[in-house]
């Protein structure tokens, strides 16, 4: 907008993205509390990417659905591949927050489940209609 204020549509999108991020975290906590093993792990991996997608939309409300989902997937994969180094494990040893965000050990199946999360987020964004 000319006067520098946020366009009304973008403000609404940001609110919805923030709500989606909170709901995604709640879903992750619920899965973790109600399931264990592979179900909890891989649901958590998919939800990690869904959360990143919500955060991308929060930061860039006019991003196209494919761009938002692909960015979230790229970030997820970058974090997973970073686990091939010892940096995330070192940071995770000293910080619960780092462990939640960065993990500690590389797990190849996570790459697939991140893609599942990105596909799901993309589908929701596509059916939610135009933004901005």
């Amino acid at each position: 907008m000319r006067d520098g204020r946020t366009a009304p549509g973008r403000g609404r999108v940001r609110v919805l993205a923030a709500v989606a991020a909170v709901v995604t975290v709640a879903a992750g906590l619920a899965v973790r509390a109600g399931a264990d093993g592979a179900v909890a792990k891989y649901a958590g991996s998919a939800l990690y990417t869904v959360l990143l997608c919500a955060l991308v939309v929060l930061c860039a409300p006019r991003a196209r659905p494919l761009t938002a989902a692909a960015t979230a997937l790229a970030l997820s994969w970058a974090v997973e591949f970073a686990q091939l180094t010892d940096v995330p494990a070192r940071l995770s040893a000293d910080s619960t927050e780092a462990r939640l965000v960065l993990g500690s050990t590389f797990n190849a199946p996570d790459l697939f489940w991140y893609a599942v999360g990105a596909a799901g987020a993309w589908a929701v964004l596509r059916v939610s209609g135009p933004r901005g």
Side-chain angles (χ1 to χ4, degrees):
M1 297 187 64
R2 288 187 204 118
D3 63 4
R5 289 181 289 153
T6 301
R10 283 188 244 166
R12 180 176 167 273
V13 169
R14 283 193 168 114
V15 168
L16 292 173
V19 169
V22 170
V23 168
T24 302
V25 169
L29 293 171
V31 166
R32 187 141 180 128
D36 58 357
V39 171
K41 173 155 182 39
Y42 296 126
S45 295
L47 288 169
Y48 180 84
T49 303
V50 171
L51 174 61
L52 287 177
C53 190
L55 295 175
V56 167
V57 172
L58 183 67
C59 294
R62 294 188 59 135
R64 294 175 188 237
L66 183 59
T67 302
T71 301
L73 179 59
L75 290 169
S76 298
W77 281 353
V79 168
E80 191 68 29
F81 283 116
Q83 294 170 0
L84 290 170
T85 71
D86 66 340
V87 174
R90 281 198 332 252
L91 294 172
S92 294
D94 297 330
S95 167
T96 300
E97 294 83 5
R99 190 181 78 242
L100 292 171
V101 173
L102 301 175
S104 60
T105 56
F106 179 80
N107 184 32
D110 284 344
L111 299 171
F112 170 77
W113 291 104
Y114 294 144
V116 169
W122 170 82
V124 169
L125 290 173
R126 283 288 290 167
V127 301
S128 68
R131 292 187 306 280

